Amino acid sequence: MHSTAIAIVGAGPRGVGILERLAASVPELRPDTALDVHLIDPYPAGAGRIWRSAQSPLLAMNSMAADVTMYTDESVVCEGPIRTGPSFWDWAQEERAADLAGWPADLADELRAVTASTFPSRRLQSEYLGRVLRDVVVALPAGMCVHVHETRATGLSEQGGRQVVALEGEAPLIVDTVVLASGHLDAAPTADEQEMLARADAAGLRYLPPEQTTDSDLSVVEPGETVITRGMGLAFIDLMVLLFEGRGGRFEGTEELTYVPSGEEPRLVVGSPRGAPYHSKSHYGLAAGRPPLPRFFGPDDVDALSAAHRPLELRDHLWPVMAKEIAWGWYHELLAGHPDPARMPWEVFAERYAALEWGTPEMDALIAEAVPDPLFRLDFAALDRPFDGLRAESLEELQPLVRERIAEDLRQHVDPAHSAHLGAFVAMLSVYGEMTRIQGLDVLSAPSRARDVPWWQSFFNSVASGPPGFRVRQLLALSRAGFVEFLGPGMWVEVDDEGFSAGSGALAGAPPVTSTILIDARLPDSDAERTSDPLLASLVRAGEVVEEVLTEPDGTVLRRTGLIRVRPADGALIDTAGVAHEHRFAVGPHTTVKVAGAFTRPGMNAQSLRYNDGVARAVLRSLPTAREAASAA
């Protein structure tokens, strides 16, 4: 048996997911190999940076306990073997049936109280991810061994055909293949952000550019002051938690909460281009079961579209079919699961629906006939831009209008009568996976990739990555108490020597909000050229990775995406010459392959699990055989 080695840089759920798939396929693909796998991460292996236990116990997941797993199941269609394991909910039930004497008191109390529909704390998720890693290691096949290096990888080079990984404070590792699985990487501020920092510093202002909110120094935010906040996604929700509950405030009540202040909190004035928080997570299951997917937007359908239209335009050629697929999920759940709002059997509707094109008068007439109440119909415009059309003469007048729309969205995501939202969500996941494949095929026009793909990603995030309902209730309570005020859609920000000013398209004519502090509440955009990761930065300097740049046929640059190019099928790194490296792979949000989440819901044939499997098997096939190793020696 000859010996080979793999380094996985990043030991959070992405890296552990690759490890699990490596272990599953080693007996088939490398039965004669003694394999050492090195997990490299300065944060705890299993959890990684985002899910580490050393963070505020107030921060929660935005997934329910029953909706989280790291393991393949019978729904997953992949080349490698299926290896089942406990979901978060399965694990939680097992743990609390055992002795919790060794657990920290707060986590033990949470574990006893968790239900399938609970949104657990990130610290409890950290425990689950640690358990997954331990289970994977215990079940490793013969000849396979895992080594954990709690440090940072700082460089990558080649020596005699092998890969040399430089480590901070440790001797370099010499391995055969490397997988970069570091998750969302920090980046230096953009040129605009650097200018804002410089102007703020010169004027004695405070500006917090995009970063992981859990790592932000929020001590610069003073009690009682007005803070202009730009961004309303999950980073904003974390900011809200840390600045209010994190400073001693508390919420009372059950459905309509009341905020009891501590006296240490600021006043947030928040906005974004949409002006709306992400849609709340759904709190119900599917009454009609999983919709039959893909139905209109599978590989064969897309290949036929590609053959008919070259290059493809997302809005013109793909979106009508994407929308039809998402609406298929919505109306399957509504008509098959909720007979009251429906006036047509699902089987009749499905046959007529399949024959029509999305967006036509005939399709609109069919939907109106089947679902007379517009409240139960899918409205993509309202889903994408829920606050468009809001207008007010003053910030004060705008607040109840915004709260009304947020409250209605929350109601529909917790009331099982509106579980069509979940049917659409499941279909969106299917569409997202196929869109990932399409982007890898290079069949979209450059302008569409530059303009329309970012729109689709933003739309998907707003629908699929929202906060739990209890966070939305807290946000509404803070708004009613006057501690959070909404600017509405079309937010703008200006800065001068006096401070920051902010307003929005919904407040035309109203005086701007002013402050001496601005927080950009979002993650930094992935950007290979600005990355603060020393390993990736060294590869950029050496030309051994290349950033994706979208150009017209004549070479005119349309957009730099900041993402590093990888081979779509397996994540192999592509260099400046356009050549895929057979011993270097990368997975995660800093690459051109967008995968929805590092873990997933059970029973969903999840794209993340299928991609992990494809990458892991490519990595194993990249390893030298015994004959090749002997020849190289």
Side-chain angles (χ1 to χ4, degrees), residues 335-356:
L335 274 69
H338 299 282
D340 290 343
R343 295 294 181 270
M344 186 181 295
W346 163 249
E347 292 76 14
V348 174
F349 177 87
E351 182 177 358
R352 292 174 60 183
Y353 181 93
L356 300 174

Side-chain angles (χ1 to χ4, degrees), residues 124-181:
L124 196 58
Q125 168 71 346
S126 181
E127 296 294 329
Y128 170 65
L129 294 172
R131 158 71 184 274
V132 170
L133 176 58
R134 291 192 296 275
D135 285 357
V136 169
V137 170
V138 166
L140 290 175
M144 185 175 177
C145 185
V146 171
H147 312 269
V148 174
H149 304 263
E150 197 165 326
T151 187
R152 191 178 307 277
T154 59
L156 178 59
S157 59
E158 281 194 85
Q159 179 180 309
R162 302 193 78 195
Q163 306 302 305
V164 182
V165 184
L167 302 180
E168 190 173 76
E170 291 188 25
L173 289 173
I174 300 177
V175 300
D176 297 285
T177 297
V178 175
V179 182
L180 307 182

